[in-house]
Structures are given as C-alpha cells and as structure tokens.
Amino acid sequence: MLLFLLGGLSHRGKLDGNNDLIKFSKTLESVCIETVESGSMTKDLAILIDKSAKYLTTNEFLEKINSNLKKNLN
C-alpha cells in the first residue's frame, strides 16, 4: 500500500515539476524496500516467509524506516 502512495507522490511531483518531491518519494521507496529486504518487517510480511520469523511492531518498523531514511537523506 505504501508503495502505491509513494508512486502517487512521485507522479504528483512530475505533474507539478517538483523535482524535490520526486527525489524524496523515490528515496523513501528505496528505503522501504531495502529495510524489508534486510529482514526488518511487520508480522504480516514476516509470516509469509516463515511462521516463526522475527518481526517488528508497526511503530518499531516505522522507527526503522525513519532511521534508514535519515541516513539516506544526509
């Protein structure tokens, strides 16, 4: 769901000629994918891999995304 919203932000940036918005949405999309691929995910995704896989709460996941995003933006 989040990736659809980020795609919408990117498209809005294209329509408005807002390159900062495009860059931000693409960066956040990459951060989300990289975070999940590194093994940090919520239960709904983790159980698709293995019913006993470790997972984060929603707040923990959002904190991880925020931390990774800050690293990418600096």
Side-chain angles (χ1 to χ4, degrees):
M1 177 74 161
L2 180 60
L3 296 180
F4 290 117
L5 293 173
L6 293 174
L9 277 179
S10 181
H11 185 66
R12 182 78 254 170
K14 288 176 189 171
L15 292 175
D16 294 343
N18 186 337
N19 290 327
D20 289 337
L21 181 57
I22 295 168
K23 181 180 176 186
F24 175 78
S25 63
K26 296 291 184 186
T27 301
L28 183 52
E29 179 180 346
S30 294
V31 166
C32 289
I33 292 168
E34 290 167 10
T35 300
V36 170
E37 287 178 345
S38 74
S40 297
M41 62 192 83
T42 52
K43 185 178 181 180
D44 58 325
L45 296 176
I47 62 173
L48 296 174
I49 297 168
D50 184 341
K51 292 199 186 289
S52 62
K54 289 186 176 184
Y55 59 88
L56 303 174
T57 65
T58 300
N59 286 337
E60 290 170 335
F61 179 69
L62 291 174
E63 288 171 10
K64 186 71 170 171
I65 293 287
N66 185 43
S67 172
N68 292 343
L69 180 61
K70 285 179 180 179
K71 290 175 193 172
N72 272 269
L73 292 177
N74 291 328

